[in-house]
């Protein structure tokens, strides 16, 4: 279990830290929605469906995206970032 943002893997994109408003080292659907992000993107990354996106969960999702589609380099959230 991670206890400090410094412990987040370097592969975690910047948006993850930015959206983690309560600094609990995970992005909740409520934080995602507050940032006006596309809910379907969150649901796709929330592999266990608990409404919380943990760093390890994001990394599993990202790894699968690259394996399934080698041309994918970043989470969809990076593309839509304002």
């Amino acid at each position: 279990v991670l206890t400090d943002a410094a412990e987040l893997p370097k592969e975690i994109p910047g948006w993850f830290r930015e959206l983690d408003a309560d600094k609990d080292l995970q992005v909740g659907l409520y934080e995602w929605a507050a940032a006006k992000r596309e809910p379907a993107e969150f649901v796709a990354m929330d592999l266990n469906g608990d409404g919380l996106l943990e760093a390890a969960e994001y990394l599993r999702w990202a790894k699968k995206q690259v394996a399934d589609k080698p041309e994918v380099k970043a989470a969809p959230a990076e593309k839509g970032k304002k």
Side-chain angles (χ1 to χ4, degrees), residues 55-74:
E57 188 173 27
Y58 167 78
L59 292 175
R60 284 193 308 274
W61 175 85
K63 184 177 179 180
K64 183 173 179 353
Q65 295 305 300
V66 172
D68 290 349
K69 302 172 191 166
E71 70 278 3
V72 174
K73 300 290 184 215

Side-chain angles (χ1 to χ4, degrees), residues 21-36:
D22 57 13
K23 305 304 177 203
D24 62 355
L25 306 179
Q26 55 191 1
V27 176
L29 181 55
Y30 61 94
E31 292 166 316
W32 189 268
K36 301 189 183 341

